[in-house]
């Protein structure tokens, strides 16, 4: 699963009810907040096959269904317990196999809190093979969970399409099932649909029959063994384009009229599939691989890796020629690379339980980065390794962090596991381990792991065993250090001692933390690559807390050369000054790494905060675009930290603009013929950052181009559309806001319309922000877009957005994925710098969240406390430096 652009994950909160002609006992839902028990089912039975018949009623947003489940009972039991949510059963019967007499259930007990249905048959069921036959009805939602509907406009007509989203625990909304990754079975799906519409699932259509009433019965081929969360069904007025690779039919499916916008995704999927067939050493096993594009969005995810039927929201698969940028092209490719990697890591081989979710997501994230760098070298994607590391460490250095492999007991905890630690730390640790053992050994270990566990379930140690066997290195111990305990190692670098032309340095391991929370001392075995600038590198493992290494040359010492290590590097003032003096001679990735370490260590108090600004002041204007992109982003973040400090902010902005404006002048507002792709991204980033800092030149040029957008087609070219609109929306007055609203209402593309409504939440004006919040509570923006509008407001006004959302909690919850609710509200508050917000978050949690659903509240509180600390302790250091140096 590819996380959404909002990076907000989901949690489940369901209620069940049922009416049956025989005895049904519906257990009342536990009052909130309440502690949840494990959601794992009893281990006395397991399914082998599901034969599902589905009849959706899109107009009324309901469905009827039946399922025959072939299962094996392994221990004598008086009941069968399945997951089920929001389902009403009309019949339930059990037989000893096909053609055998069936016994009706004597009772069905529904537990809304545990999301289960217990079927009783008035006797002890002995071990053996059985068939459970169920008939039931359910609901079609408006948010991306279970079977859901998405409404959109196409050619001026209102349309409705249906899709499913079952990860992590939502198949139970559509099929009574063993809804855990551990239970794999085959699926035979059939659906009764309106004639003229297209139905799509994991496997190709095997047969289509016209029914007497004009509808069609579509039967899909039987799937391979897979977990319930990977099953998919879609229905609507679609069109499909295909290509082939290695005997596999690759398809893209979109709403009518947008198929041409998915051509890049189709071409990318073919290239990625070819690459993965080779890398994994096992050919993709299904006959087809579709990617289904859908309007709307989710607060949880942007794409989902259903086996053979990847689901992707339009903004992550379509390239509208009116709006698509270089960044969009990169996003489409990365999303395809991520989800196709899951076809092996996650689908063919699946984690046994959500504790090891990182085996899915961390590995797919690593594969997406590796494959993008390999197939699009012109994008310099290898430099993104620093971004990945920083995204992980931003969370991992707070007391609210958790290990990569964590104990998951409930649906809520599983949903909250889709976070920076699982994805980005998982990816960063894999990159470090691959560098440690070597690319060939790592690939051989992965191939052996996939081959050994195909169609099965694993835990992380299954992977480590195979890599260690292939590499003949002690990988498991290092992997355990970085996945079984939380936190970020800190490598302190002593001043080098130069003798006989060689440099000896002492490396000491500690822990990097951004806050002052008490911690138990931790120890890691840390793979380190070090060298002098421009010289050869030396590899070692810092174990036992301290290591001495000798470098073949003297000079400025660089530790974590190449930035593959997951740790912070802290130099002495002398060592840092030596690197700063050679900054221009460092490779771009090491420039980015040194900048990132200086920013994080300075803001946390491990080194003087102005050290980062000194590096920025010495960065050449001609440095790599990615270096300046990182600098622009960090300076924009510091600018935001000065909220409510106008005099100090003005001094800081003067420094930041003086560094960034010459870079924008160098790249210009107009793309040069044949310019490198990263330059286009840099241009957009600089316009946004300088606009945010109130640069007069950027504001004037953005307004000039915006005013000419209808009369001069060159005034706002596609590549500049988004940054210009961002500047205009952020600085909008009431008249401009109304104009943006009118454009959003007139837009016919569902994808572009969603983006334009999001812009309305970007204003710095609190009055306009409130108007956006009020608009978000209506149905105007679309059922799945309102939450994004509220999140946009929170970027500028976190306290306003949180207070408003809590005050309108019931209305807001209807606009969020049903399983996102425990994460969405604290996510709005995360950018606050008001100490009073901590109490508000705790009050919200006490009133509305179960005890096991407070992970994101803890993260938000830790983030707020850190932001308060920075404003109180670090900004004065920067103010003093600015007064003296600028």
């Amino acid at each position: 699963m590819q996380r959404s652009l909002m990076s907000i994950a989901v949690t489940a909160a369901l209620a069940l009810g049922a009416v049956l002609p025989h005895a049904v006992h519906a257990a009342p839902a536990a009052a909130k907040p309440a502690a949840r028990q494990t959601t794992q089912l009893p281990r006395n039975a397991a399914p082998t096959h599901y034969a599902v018949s589905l009849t959706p009623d899109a107009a009324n947003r309901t469905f009827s269904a039946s399922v025959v489940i072939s299962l094996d009972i392994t221990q004598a039991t008086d009941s069968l317990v399945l997951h089920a949510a929001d389902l009403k059963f009309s019949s339930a019967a059990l037989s000893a196999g096909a053609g055998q007499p069936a016994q009706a259930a004597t009772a069905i007990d529904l537990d809304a809190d545990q999301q289960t249905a217990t079927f009783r048959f008035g006797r002890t069921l002995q071990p053996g093979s059985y068939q459970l036959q169920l008939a039931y009805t359910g609901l079609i939602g408006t948010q991306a969970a279970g079977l859901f509907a998405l409404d959109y406009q196409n050619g001026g007509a209102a349309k409705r399409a249906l899709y499913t989203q079952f990860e992590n625990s939502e198949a139970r909304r559509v099929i009574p099932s063993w809804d855990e990754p551990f239970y794999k079975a085959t699926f035979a799906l059939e659906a009764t649909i309106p004639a003229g519409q297209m139905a799509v699932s994991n496997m190709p259509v095997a047969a289509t029959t016209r029914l007497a009433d004009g509808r069609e019965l579509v039967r899909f081929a039987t799937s391979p063994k897979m977990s319930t969360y990977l099953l998919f069904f879609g229905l609507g007025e679609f069109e499909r384009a295909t290509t082939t690779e290695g005997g596999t039919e690759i398809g893209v499916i979109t709403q009518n009229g947008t198929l041409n916008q998915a051509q890049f995704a189709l071409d990318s999927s073919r290239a990625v599939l070819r690459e993965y067939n080779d890398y994994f050493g096992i050919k993709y096993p299904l006959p087809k691989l579709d990617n289904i594009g859908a309007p709307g969005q989710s607060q949880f995810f942007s794409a989902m890796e259903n086996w053979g039927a990847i689901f992707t929201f339009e903004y992550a698969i379509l390239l509208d020629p009116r709006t698509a940028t270089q960044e969009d092209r990169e996003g489409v490719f990365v999303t395809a690379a991520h989800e196709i990697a899951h076809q092996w890591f996650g689908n063919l081989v699946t984690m046994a339980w959500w504790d090891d979710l990182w085996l899915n997501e961390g590995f797919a994230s690593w594969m997406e980065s590796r494959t993008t760098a390999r197939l699009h070298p012109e994008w310099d994607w290898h430099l993104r390794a620093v971004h990945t590391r920083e995204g992980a460490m931003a969370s991992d250095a707070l007391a609210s962090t958790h290990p990569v492999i964590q104990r998951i007991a409930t649906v809520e905890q599983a949903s909250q596991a889709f976070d920076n630690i699982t994805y980005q730390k998982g990816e960063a640790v894999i990159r470090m381990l691959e560098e440690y053992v070597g690319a060939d050994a790592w690939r051989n270990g992965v191939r052996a792991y996939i081959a050994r566990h195909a169609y099965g379930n694993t835990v992380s140690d299954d992977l480590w065993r195979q890599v260690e066997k292939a590499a003949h290195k002690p990988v498991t111990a290092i992997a355990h250090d970085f996945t079984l305990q939380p936190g970020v190692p800190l490598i302190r670098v002593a001043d080098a001692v130069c003798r006989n032309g060689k440099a000896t340095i002492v490396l000491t391991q500690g822990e990097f933390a951004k806050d002052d929370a008490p911690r138990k001392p931790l120890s890691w075995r840390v793979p380190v690559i070090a060298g002098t600038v421009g010289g050869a590198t030396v590899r070692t493992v810092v174990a036992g807390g301290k290591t001495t290494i000798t470098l073949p040359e003297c000079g400025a010492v660089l530790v974590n050369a190449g930035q593959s290590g997951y740790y912070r590097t802290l130099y002495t003032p002398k060592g840092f000054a030596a690197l700063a003096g050679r900054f221009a001679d460092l490779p771009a990735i090491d420039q980015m790494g040194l900048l990132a370490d200086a920013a994080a260590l300075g803001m946390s108090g491990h080194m003087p905060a102005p050290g980062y600004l000194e590096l920025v002041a010495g960065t050449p204007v001609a440095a790599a675009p990615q270096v300046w992109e990182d600098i622009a982003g960090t300076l924009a973040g510091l600018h935001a930290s000065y909220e409510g400090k106008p005099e100090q902010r003005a001094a800081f902005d003067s420094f930041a603009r003086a560094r960034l404006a010459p870079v924008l002048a160098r790249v210009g507002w107009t793309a040069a013929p044949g310019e490198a792709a990263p330059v286009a991204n840099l241009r957009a980033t600089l316009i946004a950052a300088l606009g945010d800092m109130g640069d007069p030149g950027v504001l004037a040029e953005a307004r000039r181009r915006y005013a000419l957008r209808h009369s001069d087609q060159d005034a706002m070219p596609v590549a500049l559309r988004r940054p210009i609109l961002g500047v205009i929306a952020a600085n909008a007055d009431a008249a401009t806001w109304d104009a943006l609203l009118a454009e959003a209402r007139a837009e016919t593309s569902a994808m572009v319309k969603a983006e334009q409504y999001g812009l309305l939440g970007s204003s710095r004006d609190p009055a306009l922000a409130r108007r956006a919040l009020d608009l978000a509570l209506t149905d105007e923006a679309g059922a799945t877009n309102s939450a994004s509008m509220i999140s946009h407001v929170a970027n500028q006004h976190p306290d306003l957005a949180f207070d408003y959302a809590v005050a309108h909690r019931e209305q807001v919850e209807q606009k969020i994925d049903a399983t996102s609710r425990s994460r969405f509200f604290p996510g709005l508050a995360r950018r606050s710098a008001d100490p009073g917000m901590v109490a508000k978050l705790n009050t919200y949690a006490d009133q509305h969240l179960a005890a096991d659903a407070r992970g994101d509240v803890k993260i938000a509180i830790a983030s707020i406390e850190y932001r308060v600390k920075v404003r109180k302790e670090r900004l004065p250091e920067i103010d003093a430096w600015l007064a003296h140096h600028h």
Side-chain angles (χ1 to χ4, degrees):
M1 176 182 288
Q2 187 84 330
R3 290 182 301 163
S4 71
L5 297 181
M6 288 70 72
S7 295
I8 300 176
V10 285
T11 265
L14 308 172
L16 279 172
V19 177
L20 274 171
H22 44 250
V24 176
H25 311 289
K32 287 202 171 194
R36 305 263 179 153
Q37 302 302 312
T38 178
T39 56
Q40 292 185 358
L41 295 176
R43 293 297 195 253
N44 56 11
T48 59
H49 179 72
Y50 295 85
V52 184
S53 182
L54 179 67
T55 303
D57 180 353
N60 294 305
R61 289 200 292 109
T62 61
F63 67 88
S64 59
S66 63
V67 61
V68 178
I69 306 174
S70 300
L71 60 102
D72 293 328
I73 294 178
T74 56
Q75 301 174 21
T77 179
D78 62 359
S79 63
L80 290 172
V81 184
L82 279 69
H83 287 114
D86 285 339
L87 301 180
K88 295 182 178 181
F89 293 93
S90 56
S91 67
L94 185 71
S95 69
Q100 299 298 311
Q103 176 187 352
T106 57
I108 303 177
D109 299 333
L110 304 178
D111 188 326
D113 187 59
Q114 293 297 313
Q115 304 174 4
T116 59
T118 301
F119 300 91
R120 304 184 188 279
F121 297 91
R123 64 185 176 92
T124 298
L125 303 174
Q126 298 298 325
S129 297
Y130 296 82
Q131 285 192 338
L132 179 63
Q133 305 164 30
L134 306 173
Y136 56 97
T137 59
L139 304 176
I140 298 175
T142 60
Q143 304 294 329
L147 178 60
F148 63 98
L150 291 176
D151 294 339
Y152 61 97
Q153 294 287 319
N154 185 289
K159 303 293 181 180
R160 172 171 289 177
L162 304 181
Y163 309 91
T164 57
Q165 167 58 24
F166 288 167
E167 191 177 28
N168 53 288
S169 306
E170 306 302 329
R172 64 194 67 179
R173 291 178 179 268
V174 181
I175 305 172
S177 55
W178 281 259
D179 193 17
E180 300 174 22
F182 175 76
Y183 292 104
K184 289 193 168 187
T186 55
F187 291 82
L189 174 65
E190 66 176 28
T192 301
I193 67 171
Q197 293 196 8
M198 182 187 294
V200 59
S201 186
N202 307 77
M203 298 295 287
V205 172
T208 301
T209 305
R210 179 62 67 96
L211 303 178
D213 61 6
R215 294 182 298 171
E216 294 178 341
L217 177 64
V218 178
R219 293 185 176 91
F220 297 95
T222 300
S223 77
K225 284 177 59 178
M226 64 184 190
S227 305
T228 50
Y229 78 90
L230 297 171
L231 186 64
F232 177 79
F233 175 74
L235 175 65
E237 297 181 16
F238 303 149
E239 53 185 347
R240 181 173 184 250
T242 64
T243 186
T244 60
E245 174 56 44
T248 300
E249 183 178 84
I250 304 171
V252 289
I253 297 172
T254 70
Q255 59 166 291
N256 288 338
T258 60
L259 191 59
N260 63 316
Q261 298 178 25
Q263 185 62 46
F264 181 72
L266 183 62
D267 295 340
S268 298
S269 296
R270 182 182 182 188
V272 169
L273 188 63
R274 183 187 307 118
E275 176 73 13
Y276 289 172
N277 279 336
D278 174 68
Y279 185 87
F280 289 112
I282 293 178
K283 183 184 172 185
Y284 173 77
L286 275 65
K288 65 98 174 175
L289 176 59
D290 278 322
N291 196 337
I292 300 97
Q297 55 190 297
S298 164
Q299 297 301 296
F300 180 21
F301 71 106
S302 60
M304 172 61 203
E305 67 267 18
N306 313 295
W307 212 357
I310 296 167
F311 173 91
T312 308
F313 283 107
E314 286 181 339
Y315 67 81
I317 185 176
L318 300 186
L319 295 176
D320 187 328
R322 299 179 303 151
T323 62
T325 64
Q326 171 61 25
E327 184 179 29
D328 292 328
R329 287 175 60 85
E330 294 170 357
V332 168
F333 187 90
V334 164
T335 299
H338 183 99
E339 302 307 332
I340 297 175
H342 275 310
Q343 307 303 302
W344 285 265
F345 246 89
N347 299 5
L348 182 60
V349 180
T350 311
M351 75 259 149
W353 181 241
W354 301 106
D355 293 16
D356 286 288
L357 174 63
W358 90 282
L359 274 177
N360 283 14
E361 300 302 347
F363 199 93
S365 297
W366 176 78
M367 281 297 290
E368 88 184 29
S369 296
R370 174 199 176 275
T371 304
T372 305
R374 180 175 171 84
L375 299 186
H376 282 285
E378 74 278 12
W379 294 350
D380 289 334
W381 204 258
H382 67 285
L383 299 178
R384 299 291 179 120
V386 177
H387 296 175
T388 299
R389 184 190 76 186
E390 294 308 300
M393 289 184 179
S395 300
D396 207 16
L398 293 171
S400 54
T401 190
H402 61 80
V404 170
I405 301 170
Q406 56 180 319
R407 174 71 182 108
I408 300 295
T410 67
V411 167
E412 285 86 350
Q413 290 174 350
S415 298
Q416 293 183 353
F418 291 82
D419 63 5
N420 288 355
I421 303 301
T422 296
Y423 283 75
Q424 292 173 284
K425 183 174 182 179
E427 176 183 349
V429 168
I430 289 172
R431 179 179 292 108
M432 178 177 65
L433 293 175
E434 185 208 24
E435 181 67 31
Y436 172 66
V437 304
D440 290 343
W442 177 263
R443 182 191 59 197
N444 291 338
V446 167
R447 285 180 171 181
Y449 167 82
I450 294 290
R452 182 178 180 85
H453 299 287
Y455 303 101
N457 298 89
T458 61
V459 295
S460 295
D461 276 354
D462 294 319
L463 175 62
W464 305 141
R465 271 191 291 271
Q466 297 303 322
V467 173
E468 193 163 88
K469 183 178 179 181
H472 305 292
K473 284 186 175 183
V475 175
T476 301
I478 297 173
H480 281 177
D481 286 350
F482 282 88
T483 60
L484 297 181
Q485 62 185 5
V488 182
L490 175 69
I491 299 298
R492 298 178 182 272
V493 185
D495 286 331
V497 177
C498 186
R499 289 195 182 95
N500 301 320
K502 296 182 179 181
T504 300
I505 55 173
V506 176
L507 306 178
T508 306
Q509 178 253 300
E511 182 177 0
F512 168 71
K514 298 199 305 186
D515 53 33
D516 300 320
R519 285 171 166 79
K520 177 183 177 181
L522 297 176
S523 178
W524 293 264
R525 280 154 281 206
V526 185
V528 168
I529 303 174
T532 51
V533 176
T537 57
V538 172
R539 296 168 182 260
T540 189
V541 175
V542 179
K546 182 177 288 189
T547 296
T548 299
I549 62 173
T550 299
L551 305 178
E553 300 170 288
C554 295
V557 173
L558 175 70
V559 172
N560 205 3
Q563 305 302 310
S564 63
Y566 186 79
Y567 54 87
R568 291 269 178 232
T569 306
L570 178 60
Y571 301 94
T572 65
K574 179 182 176 182
F576 182 79
L579 280 175
R582 297 290 306 276
F583 186 80
D585 300 323
L586 294 174
I589 195 166
D590 289 319
Q591 291 179 338
M592 295 167 70
L594 187 61
L595 282 161
D597 275 338
L601 293 165
M603 290 301 102
S604 60
H606 288 79
M607 63 178 281
Y612 174 77
L613 299 185
E614 291 172 354
L615 285 180
V616 171
T619 302
V621 172
Q626 294 87 345
V627 172
W628 278 112
E629 264 205 281
D630 276 9
I631 289 173
T634 302
L635 293 180
L638 283 169
H639 163 86
S641 296
Y642 276 100
E643 183 69 33
K645 298 175 178 286
E647 292 184 10
Q648 296 93 328
R649 173 180 270 186
F652 173 79
D653 286 353
S654 176
F655 167 82
R657 292 195 301 263
R659 297 303 300 131
L660 298 180
V663 184
L664 179 58
R666 181 174 183 268
V667 302
W669 282 71
T670 303
E675 73 177 12
V679 175
N681 294 335
L682 173 61
R683 179 180 294 109
T685 298
L686 290 171
I687 292 171
L690 286 165
D692 196 39
M693 297 172 189
D695 182 83
V698 167
L699 293 179
E701 182 65 4
R703 287 166 176 157
R704 183 189 72 82
R705 288 173 174 267
Y706 179 73
L708 294 173
R709 68 194 185 283
H710 296 309
S711 59
D712 181 358
Q713 63 179 2
D714 296 326
M716 202 162 77
V718 172
L720 293 184
R721 172 187 168 276
R722 197 168 290 147
I724 288 175
L725 287 178
V727 171
I728 296 301
N731 295 280
D733 56 17
T736 303
W737 196 91
D738 287 337
L740 292 170
L741 176 59
E743 291 187 15
R745 287 171 171 168
E747 178 56 51
T748 58
S749 163
M751 182 171 64
V752 178
K753 182 184 284 286
E755 183 180 339
Q756 290 178 319
Y757 273 101
L759 279 172
L760 294 170
S762 303
S763 175
R764 292 195 185 90
D765 185 334
L768 296 177
R770 290 188 184 92
R771 288 183 63 186
L773 291 170
D774 289 338
L775 183 62
L777 290 190
T778 71
D779 295 329
E780 178 177 323
T784 66
N785 296 326
S786 292
S788 179
M789 290 183 66
I790 298 172
S791 294
H792 275 82
V793 173
N795 288 337
Q796 296 282 357
H797 310 279
D799 301 88
L800 171 64
F802 177 82
D803 291 345
Y804 184 95
V806 171
H808 300 84
R809 181 180 59 83
E810 292 184 0
Q811 291 171 273
V812 171
E813 285 184 346
Q814 298 305 309
K815 306 291 186 181
I816 311 169
D817 303 356
T819 51
S820 295
R821 292 171 185 169
S822 71
R823 308 198 74 179
F824 181 77
F825 290 87
L828 298 176
R830 197 172 299 172
R831 290 175 177 264
S832 175
D834 179 8
M837 180 57 74
V838 172
K840 291 181 182 180
L841 281 165
N842 282 323
T843 298
Y844 166 78
D846 290 341
Q847 294 177 349
H848 303 298
L849 296 181
D852 57 43
R854 302 188 183 191
D856 276 66
V857 169
K858 294 177 182 177
I859 292 170
I861 289 173
S863 299
I864 292 165
E865 291 175 341
Y866 172 65
R867 188 166 286 105
V868 171
K869 174 184 173 181
V870 166
R871 286 167 61 88
K872 179 181 178 181
E873 299 178 11
R874 306 295 163 236
L875 294 189
E877 286 186 63
I878 293 176
D879 296 339
W881 185 87
L882 290 170
H884 183 70
H885 292 84
H886 187 64

